[in-house]
Amino acid sequence: MPLLEIRDLCLDLHGTRVVDGLSLTLEPGQSLCLVGESGCGKSVTALSLARLLDSPPASYPRGEIHLAGQNVLQLDSRALRQLRGAVVSYVFQEPGASLNPILRVGSQIREALQIHRPEAANDDEVLRLLRLVGIPAPEMRARDYPHQLSGGMQQRLALALALATRPQLLVADEPTTALDVTIQAQIIDLLRRLQRELGMAILLITHNLGLVADVADHVAVMYAGEIVETGPPDSLLHDPSHPYTRALLASVPDLHTPVTRLLNIPGAVPTPGQWPPGCRFAPRCPISRPSCTQVHPQLLPDPHASPPGRLTRCPWTSPSTAVPG
Amino acid sequence: MPLLEVEQLKVHYPLRRGLLGRVVGTVKAVDGVDLTVNAAETVGLVGESGCGKSTLGRAILRLTPPTSGRVRFEQEDLLALSGRDLRARRRRIQMIFQDPFGSLDPRLTAGDSIGEALEIHRLTPHRTARSTRIAALLESVGLTAAHAQRYPQELSGGQRQRIGIARALAVEPRLMVCDEPVSALDVSVQAQVVNLLQDLQRSHGIAYLFISHDLAVVRHLCQRVAVMYLGRIVETGPTAEICTAPRHPYTQALLAAVPSLDPSRRLRRLLLPGEMPSPIHPPTGCPFHPRCPVAEARCRTETPLLRTSTDASHRVACHLVPSP
């Protein structure tokens, strides 16, 4: 049984559709990357898993979220409090925002333990968690305030807090975007180690395609509120089938394979409420056909992909249709 | 002759403590940097937060006062100028920032922001000539004349960055100091702005000092690159050479930390332990030695100088890199 199953989820904010018919599954202990640009709906999808969006303005006109056997959209506030922490924890881009500035590092972790695992609310467990996330000299650091830590150490602390409750699913929303590359590499390495050692599932939200390759067992690319392509990372990144994924890959420089010019995707990502009819990428797509602007395509198995297990929303894709530069 | 020549530039800040603001030490944000940028060339300045790269960029324009050293631009010493001479010289060097929202006045339309730059430098005094010029500038950065009426908050991040670039272009600079200009943008928008910068270099012959932490973007844009660590340049040379055959252990670690789409590269990830020390308490000897995987005894005591390695254009500050 999957740990997380989202079926046909629709999310409106202030009456405007921002996530539209999204379905995905995540098995226990696996990692899934949601990739896309600002406004594609990836972060609000992640926040919906523990119903962290206030309603109103958020409303869910359609769809279901099943997390660890619970129907999330039907839970009352008491059951939701149980779900948060015990089943799913979050880390965000700005670790400072999830830390209490006037509580010492050790007290913050102890507080989280007291709420979720009162039997373990002791110094030994606090130090064990600090060690688990690689904070050096934990006895000393436990007496520090968050502002005394660097950005990388703050993110480790946020991770320790998220792990204090022993979640089955860790949602990491752009956890390394604010960090330097060498620190980013340390945090990504730590996430992979934690996934392996604790058997915890990870949902990673990112715009960085390089990180996807490093972390994910499975990738879903989002555009304008929906998934346009999913699959295992190596095959998807190496041979993308949706024109948006291809364009995205061609617009990022890669350190090891220099190109003379980056791909300019014409136009801009459409804002929610202004999604074009038919295929939402069609107005910017180099291979669009007249029918693309009329029929909204479904997410279907890609007949050309090998190995199988790839879904794409583009009916015209084939391994040989290259995106003209 | 290089367009810009920076020699032994230092920016030191006094470190004050207590009620009376007693000076208890100095922070050496930039500590003896040599750097040149030629006309119509792009030089990358890379390094992690706090390495001094932004301070160096600002000190070149004297937005932050340098402590000592020389900054020669078009063969004139910028640090010796003041008042009107400095303003006239500085027009030829413009700066663009990471967050154009912070550098655009929210009460001015895009057109007014660009017009202000023209007015300050008395470039197009007549109203009609000015609006024609503003429209032309907007078109040269991929916008339309209609964008002149918009306020910054009505524009997307990419459009705001284009306005920032148009305003810098307005005064016909020869050098643009770009401080993380694409870091806050989405990847597809980032590609558009990177392409725009390349096009402008080709059409206007502008040189860039491109400050960034993103090595992939630097490799894509820059002919030469300088790698900074704790206020010093530790390695500099042609970008392709630095990216494929780095000599300094820090550069090697920095490059290895960049995530790659190439699966064969992933297994070779080298994890650099620890973090960059605070410039308040820099390590003795080589500033990188506490994190360096190959440091020796003398690395802890002697500070290595930047010297030539394989050829004259590639210089490294590491005791363990043999002299040619």
Side-chain angles (χ1 to χ4, degrees):
Chain A
M1 203 177 98
L3 173 66
L4 168 69
E5 187 172 10
I6 302 178
R7 267 185 247 141
D8 195 28
L9 183 74
C10 290
L11 163 62
D12 291 357
L13 285 177
H14 299 285
T16 301
R17 184 65 44 94
V18 293
V19 175
D20 196 19
L22 181 133
S23 299
L24 50 83
T25 56
L26 176 59
E27 300 293 330
Q30 294 275 297
S31 58
L32 170 71
C33 270
L34 270 186
V35 196
E37 298 182 88
S38 312
C40 71
K42 57 189 191 305
S43 290
V44 286
T45 300
L47 291 171
S48 297
L49 302 185
R51 294 263 301 278
L52 292 180
L53 296 166
D54 286 333
S55 22
S59 62
Y60 298 90
R62 217 170 65 216
E64 289 169 27
I65 299 173
H66 293 273
L67 181 56
Q70 303 193 62
N71 189 346
V72 175
L73 297 185
Q74 306 299 329
L75 296 180
D76 59 22
S77 57
R78 195 194 152 106
L80 279 174
R81 265 202 308 279
Q82 263 301 308
L83 183 83
R84 296 169 188 155
V87 177
V88 54
S89 286
Y90 286 77
V91 283
F92 297 99
Q93 179 173 337
E94 294 296 338
S98 40
L99 303 174
N100 185 339
I102 56 163
L103 266 192
R104 292 178 198 271
V105 166
S107 314
Q108 307 212 18
I109 296 180
R110 193 186 268 270
E111 187 187 54
L113 287 169
Q114 254 148 13
I115 295 167
H116 293 279
R117 286 166 56 210
E119 75 288 353
N122 53 53
D123 284 351
D124 288 350
E125 180 63 6
V126 168
L127 294 180
R128 189 190 71 83
L129 283 162
L130 290 175
R131 264 184 226 113
L132 180 68
V133 296
I135 292 182
E139 293 84 356
M140 283 168 65
R141 288 287 90 83
R143 287 196 295 273
D144 281 349
Y145 289 97
H147 77 268
Q148 293 171 292
L149 305 178
S150 66
M153 283 301 151
Q154 287 187 359
Q155 194 57 287
R156 285 175 195 270
L157 173 59
L159 262 170
L161 274 171
L163 297 176
T165 61
R166 295 197 171 147
Q168 299 173 56
L169 172 63
L170 177 71
V171 179
D173 190 350
E174 303 273 10
T176 62
T177 305
L179 305 175
D180 281 313
V181 281
T182 62
I183 309 302
Q184 168 175 290
Q186 292 172 0
I187 297 288
I188 290 300
D189 189 63
L190 175 63
L191 280 176
R192 282 193 301 194
R193 186 166 62 75
L194 292 170
Q195 185 197 351
R196 212 171 44 235
E197 287 175 8
L198 307 177
M200 177 179 69
I202 293 182
L203 178 68
L204 179 72
I205 315 293
T206 182
H207 68 280
N208 187 331
L209 293 156
L211 287 186
V212 172
D214 259 357
V215 175
D217 298 312
H218 213 75
V219 188
V221 181
M222 286 188 74
Y223 185 78
E226 59 186 13
I227 293 174
V228 294
E229 177 166 13
T230 79
D234 281 340
S235 97
L236 188 145
L237 295 172
H238 181 250
D239 180 24
S241 72
H242 196 281
Y244 175 63
T245 315
R246 285 189 212 166
L248 208 54
L249 282 163
S251 64
V252 212
D254 187 71
L255 185 61
H256 305 289
T257 40
V259 292
T260 43
R261 198 167 172 83
L262 302 176
L263 178 77
N264 240 354
I265 310 178
V269 176
T271 49
Q274 292 173 355
W275 293 332
C279 170
R280 288 171 194 165
F281 188 60
R284 310 174 71 194
C285 180
I287 61 164
S288 76
R289 307 179 184 195
S291 64
C292 294
T293 56
Q294 284 144 29
V295 187
H296 184 234
Q298 300 297 303
L299 190 63
L300 295 171
D302 179 356
H304 303 285
S306 70
R310 300 256 313 259
L311 301 176
T312 180
R313 225 174 251 283
C314 182
W316 307 120
T317 179
S318 82
S320 53
T321 41
V323 178
Chain B
M1 277 307 273
L3 180 67
L4 173 77
E5 231 178 333
V6 175
E7 265 175 60
Q8 282 304 305
L9 193 72
K10 291 185 182 176
V11 182
H12 293 181
Y13 297 106
L15 190 64
R16 296 175 192 278
R17 280 280 152 79
L19 268 180
L20 302 173
R22 210 157 41 87
V23 177
V24 292
T26 47
V27 176
K28 297 175 178 177
V30 176
D31 200 21
V33 164
D34 294 330
L35 186 78
T36 58
V37 181
N38 296 310
E41 182 191 32
T42 306
V43 175
L45 193 58
V46 301
E48 300 181 273
S49 320
C51 72
K53 57 190 192 301
S54 292
T55 308
L56 174 58
R58 296 175 61 85
I60 288 168
L61 278 91
R62 284 181 62 183
L63 296 176
T64 295
T67 310
S68 65
R70 285 211 299 185
V71 177
R72 293 171 72 85
F73 178 72
E74 294 181 313
Q75 290 159 56
E76 202 160 2
D77 190 351
L78 286 187
L79 304 190
L81 297 178
S82 59
R84 188 185 300 180
D85 290 338
L86 175 65
R87 208 158 45 237
R89 228 359 110 186
R90 198 154 56 179
R91 170 165 82 83
R92 309 285 275 168
I93 315 178
Q94 289 296 309
M95 187 147 185
I96 52 178
F97 298 93
Q98 174 172 353
D99 179 14
F101 204 55
S103 56
L104 294 174
D105 188 331
R107 293 164 305 174
L108 293 185
T109 61
D112 291 339
S113 274
I114 299 169
E116 191 183 45
L118 293 169
E119 204 170 330
I120 287 168
H121 292 286
R122 302 202 174 112
L123 292 172
T124 41
H126 298 293
R127 191 169 277 254
T128 45
R130 191 181 298 162
S131 60
T132 319
R133 174 94 176 111
I134 290 169
L137 283 162
L138 287 169
E139 271 157 38
S140 68
V141 295
L143 299 171
T144 62
H147 285 102
Q149 310 306 322
R150 305 274 195 89
Y151 287 91
Q153 59 272 27
E154 300 173 311
L155 300 166
S156 70
Q159 288 171 332
R160 285 200 289 262
Q161 194 54 286
R162 287 172 196 268
I163 300 288
I165 295 170
R167 191 176 56 171
L169 274 184
V171 298
E172 295 161 3
R174 295 205 60 207
L175 173 69
M176 277 199 205
V177 176
C178 311
D179 192 356
E180 302 273 11
V182 298
S183 304
L185 305 176
D186 263 320
V187 281
S188 69
V189 184
Q190 177 175 318
Q192 292 170 351
V193 173
V194 164
N195 287 345
L196 172 65
L197 289 174
Q198 284 181 314
D199 293 342
L200 292 173
Q201 183 162 64
R202 230 162 274 142
S203 56
H204 292 62
I206 303 168
Y208 298 118
L209 179 63
F210 192 84
I211 301 168
S212 179
H213 69 282
D214 187 332
L215 285 118
V217 172
V218 165
R219 165 133 208 215
H220 180 74
L221 267 177
C222 305
Q223 287 94 52
R224 287 190 299 125
V225 64
V227 182
M228 276 186 87
Y229 191 80
L230 268 185
R232 292 163 179 271
I233 290 177
V234 296
E235 184 162 9
T236 175
T239 312
E241 195 178 314
I242 301 266
C243 288
T244 51
R247 305 296 301 270
H248 196 285
Y250 177 63
T251 316
Q252 290 168 353
L254 201 58
L255 288 162
V258 178
S260 175
L261 294 171
D262 179 358
S264 65
R265 298 249 167 216
R266 251 171 277 150
L267 305 170
R268 290 198 260 144
R269 288 281 281 274
L270 181 139
L271 273 190
L272 190 62
E275 303 182 349
M276 193 162 64
S278 153
I280 300 171
H281 304 289
T284 55
C286 170
F288 186 58
H289 88 254
R291 300 172 78 192
C292 182
V294 293
E296 292 177 352
R298 71 171 158 159
C299 303
R300 288 182 261 283
T301 51
E302 279 173 57
T303 307
L305 297 173
L306 194 63
R307 56 188 172 76
T308 54
S309 157
T310 38
D311 61 84
S313 63
H314 190 166
R315 292 187 297 154
V316 189
C318 176
H319 292 309
L320 302 175
V321 172
S323 304

